[in-house]
Amino acid sequence: MTLTATFEASARPPARSVPRGLVFVLPAVLLLLAIYIVPIIVLAGFSITDYRLGAMNWDFVGARNFTAAFADPVFIRALANTALYAAIVIPAGVFIALGIALLVYGRKSSRAFWETAYFLPVTATLVAMATVWQFLLHPSLGPVNTAITWAGFDPVSFLGNPALLIPTMALIGVWQVLGFNMVLFLAGLTAIPRDLHEAARIDGAKSPIDRFLTVTWPMLGPTTMFVVVTTSISAFKVFETVAVLTKGRSGSETLLYALYLEGFEYSNTGYAAALTLIFLAIVLILSIGQTLRMDRKVHY
Amino acid sequence: MSRQSIELSGISKSFGPTQVLKEIDLSVREGEFLSLVGMSGCGKSTLLRIIAGLELPDDGVVEIGGENVTSRDPADRNLAMVFQSYALYPHMTVRQNIATPLRMRMLPLAARLPLLGRLLAPRETLSQIDAAVEQAADTLQITHLLDRKPAQLSGGQRQRVALARALVRQPAAFLMDEPLSNLDAKLRAHMRDELAALHRRLGATFIYVTHDQVEAMTMSDRIALMIEGRIEQLGTPDDLYRTPATLSVARFIGSPTINLLPAEVTADRQVTVAGMETGLHAEEGPATLGIRAEDFHLASTGMPARLLRAETHGADRFLTCQLMAGDGSVVVLRQSASDRPSADADGKLHLRFAADRVHLFGADGRRRPVYVGGKVAA
């Protein structure tokens, strides 16, 4: 105890350098305030009013926006849709990317080609790509349905059948995140010391499954955690595909799309602010939860 | 079980255009401690990796216990290896690390899977594994560390865990790739003793790769000194020290480095150094005379030299002198610290050497016979 006390006392800077220190942290503090803190406070302020964009006056409504949200069938549906979308995109986007990374990692001369090929969707704008997907999945014109009918099945109306809307968009979402996740996994694979694989081989890990379970998977822990968190966040933020492909018809709204409709189409700024806070809370709880839960397991 | 001979014949290996190993023949006897020594890049690690099965030779045959294993998977060679980096699995506790080689061999794949595997593993096998792990940990005195992760261990402790993981199943032989080079000097000397003791106790075959001649000299039964992909000399530490087959071996083995003096053998077979006759006889031609520091002594007559520096290392004193004749070579002489340096006021002294302990190398670098008064000296 005494040691700690001495340490703290000696670590405290002399009084005259405090103002100078404050000057140095000021730019960062100002930026942080302007970009994150003040907007969130303003947002929280809006969320307890019935403010509509352009209106001259407004009233405080307390928590009424939040209670209204959970009674709103559109919002509940958007929540369920987003959950379904995330439930497909997160596992598929993480594990397929891992599989591809393992395959690409084994290539020598063609590795650069595969990396580029899988990474291209990440660099493309999703709005443009969604239009391409619309064509690909078109019931009569699209090559996907041509292939399905050629194989002897009935054509599938991917973007017409309400039950298929979210899964179809989830497939596009998976396609979009694969390349980024694959590159992350490749970086993780490269960082695994060769000695560990060799030690495992000598220890008797003959099958690739054994080597994967003994070395690769545990050593990829930190990478996997990062990939899961970023994929979850991008899954919850799904917006472009909905805006371009379905515009929320047949009950295919997602959280962000519902929020956009309220805020910018219907000008319900107060209500949209409340939805935004709910969205923020969900993303924050999920990512902090995942990080805390997994962090203990992946860092040795 | 852990005493198997290893036979290498005609092992060659190239990486791209560079030939790393050139037709190596080597037979390691069962229960022997054999060191592969050489500078970095001489191919010693590659040779060890070929024995382990981590690398395939372009040519040649590897036999363990009389069986040809050249193309066999590392897992099926029943060898254990200790890596320079220790290569411990960082996510496992020490206990799990040591148990891994046994789990891989004694449990079916299904029982090794995470979660589900625990239910499928036969209880009896698990308790056998536990007992073996405890025993290995006990041998290396790391029982108190069994539940820690490698990150919580010091370098020396990790080294012990790596050794325990190697000896937990009785392998045909232990392969060690510079296992001590990540330790500090004091711990290295200590682990050297422990390794030698471990070898005596287990009676197992050890193949030990190192660039440190001291490690090789102190622990090995035999040393294979490698230079540029070839085994330059194979013999006991004493053989290599007392009768180095080539100039390179003489230079590599021994500390301080052997003194090498340019010599000339005249037409009447007299060996001369710096124009002085040495009383030695050999075949005519240019040569190099090698004299170890301890084979020089001070005398009232002999080769005149100037004392440059005297360093006392506890019991020994090393005198660095420059010969005053010939090309002025600098030589190091070892004497007991209790002897007086006996240089005169200008630092001049006279050197003599033990004629029966010199090494003569021809222009091709090979050892040549030397005679003192008709008898073979060395």
Side-chain angles (χ1 to χ4, degrees), chain B residues 3-164:
Chain B
R3 297 168 65 99
Q4 299 263 311
S5 61
I6 294 176
E7 196 84 31
L8 305 177
S9 36
I11 300 285
S12 294
K13 176 76 182 175
S14 300
F15 292 116
T18 29
Q19 198 177 4
V20 197
L21 294 175
K22 299 161 187 163
E23 298 200 17
I24 300 267
D25 295 313
L26 177 65
S27 75
V28 186
R29 301 170 195 147
E30 51 183 68
E32 179 177 35
F33 194 128
L34 182 121
S35 293
L36 297 171
V37 196
M39 314 251 214
S40 53
C42 72
K44 55 190 191 300
S45 286
T46 310
L47 191 60
L48 193 76
R49 294 168 56 80
I50 285 176
I51 298 171
L54 296 171
E55 211 83 67
L56 287 179
D58 298 338
D59 243 321
V61 176
V62 181
E63 282 177 40
I64 297 176
E67 263 183 277
N68 185 344
V69 297
T70 315
S71 51
R72 213 181 269 182
D73 194 272
D76 298 329
R77 297 190 181 203
N78 193 25
L79 298 169
M81 187 154 166
V82 178
F83 293 81
Q84 184 176 356
S85 64
Y86 316 134
L88 300 177
Y89 309 115
H91 57 288
M92 296 184 189
T93 61
V94 169
R95 188 188 299 278
Q96 292 165 325
N97 261 288
I98 300 174
T100 301
L102 295 179
R103 289 175 56 86
M104 292 290 175
R105 282 179 169 77
M106 295 164 71
L107 294 177
L109 177 60
R112 276 181 262 135
L113 295 175
L115 304 172
L116 197 68
R118 212 166 295 173
L119 304 171
L120 294 169
R123 186 132 325 154
E124 197 185 333
T125 317
L126 286 183
S127 62
Q128 276 172 10
I129 292 177
D130 267 348
V133 169
E134 293 280 349
Q135 204 196 333
D138 193 47
T139 307
L140 287 151
Q141 295 152 27
I142 48 170
T143 314
H144 60 295
L145 304 174
L146 279 174
D147 294 312
R148 294 207 201 156
K149 294 255 175 98
Q152 298 164 289
L153 303 179
S154 70
Q157 291 170 330
R158 285 181 209 182
Q159 172 72 70
R160 282 163 192 276
V161 177
L163 281 170

Side-chain angles (χ1 to χ4, degrees), chain A:
Chain A
M1 275 316 274
T2 26
L3 272 178
T4 340
T6 328
F7 174 74
E8 274 170 8
S10 66
R12 192 174 299 151
R16 66 189 158 81
S17 69
V18 169
R20 200 180 302 162
L22 287 179
V23 171
F24 276 110
V25 297
L26 199 61
V29 169
L30 284 180
L31 278 173
L32 210 63
L33 280 174
I35 297 174
Y36 296 105
I37 315 241
V38 173
I40 289 181
I41 293 171
V42 172
L43 184 79
F46 275 137
S47 72
I48 49 171
T49 66
D50 64 352
Y51 180 70
R52 295 175 59 89
L53 195 66
M56 300 309 282
N57 47 23
W58 64 84
D59 290 318
F60 284 100
V61 294
R64 215 175 303 155
N65 278 331
F66 294 93
T67 47
F70 287 102
D72 180 356
V74 177
F75 178 72
I76 296 297
R77 200 163 60 217
L79 211 57
N81 282 341
T82 310
L84 174 63
Y85 181 89
I88 299 173
V89 170
I90 299 170
V94 171
F95 287 105
I96 297 176
L98 175 61
I100 293 171
L102 288 170
L103 291 176
V104 171
Y105 187 67
R107 303 286 92 211
K108 289 207 166 67
S109 47
S110 58
R111 181 172 158 175
F113 167 77
W114 293 114
E115 278 179 37
T116 318
Y118 280 105
F119 197 71
L120 271 180
V122 183
T123 60
T125 31
L126 197 49
V127 175
M129 287 301 114
T131 324
V132 175
W133 276 102
Q134 199 167 24
F135 163 73
L136 288 175
L137 299 173
H138 194 277
S140 47
L141 303 172
V144 174
N145 268 308
T146 314
I148 291 174
T149 43
W150 182 81
F153 297 98
D154 289 335
V156 181
S157 177
F158 290 103
L159 296 171
N161 182 349
L164 287 182
L165 286 177
I166 293 293
T168 302
M169 289 192 287
L171 278 185
I172 300 173
V174 171
W175 170 83
Q176 233 255 330
V177 296
L178 271 189
F180 188 61
N181 291 353
M182 178 206 69
V183 166
L184 291 174
F185 276 124
L186 273 177
L189 285 172
T190 315
I192 300 177
R194 197 180 60 161
D195 279 1
L196 280 183
H197 281 290
E198 295 183 340
R201 284 174 69 190
I202 289 178
D203 282 347
K206 255 167 83 177
S207 74
I209 301 172
D210 269 324
R211 287 205 289 276
F212 179 79
L213 289 176
T214 316
V215 178
T216 315
W217 179 241
M219 294 306 287
L220 280 180
T223 312
T224 311
M225 182 180 104
F226 183 74
V227 169
V228 167
V229 172
T230 52
T231 308
S232 319
I233 292 175
S234 62
F236 280 98
K237 287 196 323 198
V238 56
F239 175 78
E240 293 99 322
T241 30
V242 191
V244 174
L245 293 179
T246 72
K247 302 209 167 50
R249 78 186 133 76
S250 326
S252 65
E253 308 91 340
T254 58
L255 263 186
L256 227 57
Y257 193 75
L259 194 158
Y260 158 78
L261 285 184
E262 290 297 340
F264 299 94
E265 295 288 314
Y266 314 148
S267 301
N268 287 329
T269 310
Y271 184 54
L275 295 190
T276 309
L277 275 187
I278 295 172
F279 172 76
L280 263 180
I282 292 173
V283 170
L284 214 63
I285 289 168
L286 276 174
S287 39
I288 291 178
Q290 280 170 341
T291 309
L292 287 183
R293 207 179 65 80
M294 291 172 77
D295 199 42
R296 224 169 303 146
K297 290 193 184 170
V298 300
H299 290 112
Y300 313 113

